[in-house]
Amino acid sequence: MRQVTNTIVMIRPVQFRMNEQTAVNNYYQEDAGISQEDANKIAKQEFENFVNALKKVGVDVIVIDDDPKNDTPDSIFPNNWVSFHENGDVGLYPMFAVNRRKERRPEILDFIETSGYDIHNIIDYTAAEEEEVFLEGTGSLVLDRVNKKAYCALSPRADEELFIEFCEDFEYTPVIFTAYQTVNEQRLPIYHTNVMMGIAETFAVVCLDCIDDKKERKNVINHLKTDNKEIIAINEDQVNNFAGNMLQVVGSGDKRYLVMSTAAFKSLTKDQILKIEKHCSILHSDLNTIETLGGGSARCMMAEVFLPKSM
C-alpha cells in the first residue's frame, strides 16, 4: 500500500471564475475585482506553470481539458468528485454545488483507462445528492492510505453517515472531528478537511487550532502519533494562505516532494520549512488567482492516481 503516487490527473480550465454556488460556505473565496475573461486567462497561465513545475521534477501529469459546453467554473479541482485506489476501485462523490456535478464526466475515466490504468469497480455515492447529502472526495477525506485511516472534518459538504459508509466500503478507520475558522467573529465549519490538514508518508501538516473541541483534537493527535507521523503544526493565518492544502508526490528517481502554492510557502516559518525538508523537498507554484476566486489551492487541483497499470 502506497501513501504517495507519481501520477496525478489535472483538469485544464476553460471558464474558470468565482463560483457563486460554492461561495455560500467556502469562506476562502474572494472577489478579485477582475473580469471573467481575465480571471480565466490568468488561471490558465497559473495552471500551465504549475503543470510544468510538476513535470519538470518527473511527476506524471495526465492533463484533461474541461468541456466548454458545461458551466463548470471549479473543474480545476477534480479531487472533489473522484478518487482512484490501488485495488482498481474508483470513488465518485456527491457535490454540494449543483453546477459542480457536471464535472463528473465519464470520458475522463475512459481517458485514464486509455492512458494505461485499470479500473475494476466504481463505487458511486452520487445518489446522495437527491437527499442533499454530500461528501466531496479527497477534499472532505484526508486519507492515510497505508494505515487505512480517513480523517474527516464534518461540514455542510462532509456528511457523517456517508463518511462512515465510505470507510466501510473502502475499509478505512474513521477519524471524525469538526474544524472551524473565524468568519466575521463567528466560528464556522471549514468546508473541506484538506484545507487544514495534509498527510504525507512520515509526517502530517495540520492546524490543530482549527479543532476547537479538545477531545477531538487529542484524538487526531493520538492517531497521527500512533502511526509515527511527525506533526508539523500550522496556525489559522497560515490556513488562510492555503498552507494546509498540500500534497506529497513522487518525482523522478523516486524523490518525494511536498507540493503547495507560493502563498502557502511564503506563509511558513523557517522552522516549519526545515521540519518539512527533513522529510522531503518542497515544490511551490504561484496560484494566486485560482486561490482568491476558487477558494482552493494546490492539493485541490491534483487527483492522485493509485490504480493498477494495465498489463
Side-chain angles (χ1 to χ4, degrees):
M1 192 60 71
R2 294 172 291 145
Q3 178 62 23
V4 293
T5 179
N6 171 253
T7 308
I8 56 172
V9 171
M10 294 179 69
I11 308 293
R12 183 181 282 116
V14 294
Q15 43 195 1
F16 177 80
R17 64 167 199 275
M18 181 163 169
N19 187 352
E20 62 291 341
Q21 293 187 18
T22 54
V24 295
N25 56 24
N26 177 348
Y27 309 110
Y28 298 102
Q29 287 177 253
E30 292 173 40
D31 188 351
I34 56 174
S35 70
Q36 278 189 30
E37 192 182 347
D38 284 346
N40 189 51
K41 191 176 167 186
I42 298 165
K44 271 185 173 173
Q45 194 54 60
E46 289 177 354
F47 176 88
E48 299 301 341
N49 293 345
F50 186 24
V51 169
N52 290 337
L54 289 162
K55 286 183 171 178
K56 198 173 174 183
V57 298
V59 178
D60 180 13
V61 187
I62 300 171
V63 178
I64 300 169
D65 286 317
D66 188 15
D67 189 333
K69 76 173 184 289
N70 298 321
D71 179 29
T72 44
D74 281 330
S75 60
I76 202 166
F77 304 131
N79 82 310
N80 297 145
W81 66 265
V82 67
S83 64
F84 304 102
H85 301 263
E86 245 179 285
N87 62 354
D89 283 352
V90 171
L92 296 180
Y93 298 94
M95 312 276 275
F96 171 81
V98 174
N99 66 3
R100 292 208 63 189
R101 297 171 193 175
K102 291 178 189 162
E103 293 174 32
R104 296 187 302 253
R105 291 156 50 207
E107 65 267 28
I108 291 177
L109 302 186
D110 295 341
F111 187 84
I112 288 159
E113 285 193 292
T114 59
S115 301
Y117 294 91
D118 278 342
I119 293 173
H120 298 153
N121 185 30
I122 294 176
I123 300 174
D124 188 345
Y125 299 104
T126 59
E129 287 166 352
E130 294 161 25
E131 312 294 324
E132 296 288 300
V133 168
F134 312 108
L135 187 70
E136 295 194 332
T138 54
S140 300
L141 309 158
V142 173
L143 302 179
D144 181 341
R145 292 170 185 264
V146 175
N147 295 296
K148 299 295 280 183
K149 288 182 183 175
Y151 293 77
C152 183
L154 302 179
S155 77
R157 304 204 203 172
D159 177 77
E160 185 168 3
E161 279 182 36
L162 194 56
F163 172 55
I164 299 291
E165 190 180 325
F166 164 88
C167 289
E168 287 170 355
D169 291 340
F170 284 88
E171 298 180 348
Y172 277 81
T173 300
V175 183
I176 299 171
F177 56 97
T178 306
Y180 294 91
Q181 65 187 119
T182 301
V183 182
N184 300 327
E185 297 179 13
Q186 268 186 294
R187 293 295 272 170
L188 298 174
I190 288 176
Y191 79 109
H192 278 161
T193 317
N194 77 1
V195 175
M196 51 72 65
M197 84 179 291
I199 293 177
E201 285 176 317
T202 51
F203 65 101
V205 175
V206 58
C207 182
L208 298 167
D209 297 346
C210 288
I211 309 173
D212 291 355
D213 186 291
K214 285 180 183 169
K215 274 187 185 167
E216 289 181 355
R217 190 186 317 150
K218 196 174 177 185
N219 187 42
V220 169
I221 291 168
N222 286 344
H223 276 285
L224 293 170
K225 283 187 171 172
T226 301
D227 299 325
N228 297 315
K229 304 284 187 198
E230 181 184 355
I231 296 171
I232 300 171
I234 56 174
N235 61 36
E236 287 187 45
D237 186 48
Q238 291 172 318
V239 170
N240 291 336
N241 284 286
F242 295 98
N245 199 242
M246 302 173 170
L247 182 70
Q248 191 181 36
V249 298
V250 183
S252 49
D254 216 30
K255 190 173 176 182
R256 269 60 174 161
Y257 295 88
L258 189 64
V259 182
M260 63 190 75
S261 71
T262 299
F265 178 72
K266 284 181 175 173
S267 78
L268 297 175
T269 64
K270 281 182 183 171
D271 183 51
Q272 288 166 327
I273 290 168
L274 285 171
K275 281 180 177 174
I276 291 166
E277 287 180 334
K278 274 193 319 189
H279 298 273
C280 65
S281 297
I282 291 173
L283 186 153
H284 63 88
S285 192
D286 179 13
L287 302 170
N288 185 53
T289 300
I290 292 168
E291 289 175 325
T292 304
L293 292 170
S297 187
R299 195 277 167 266
C300 302
M301 294 170 68
M302 299 181 281
E304 306 145 278
V305 179
F306 287 91
L307 297 167
K309 291 215 166 144
S310 306
M311 298 302 286

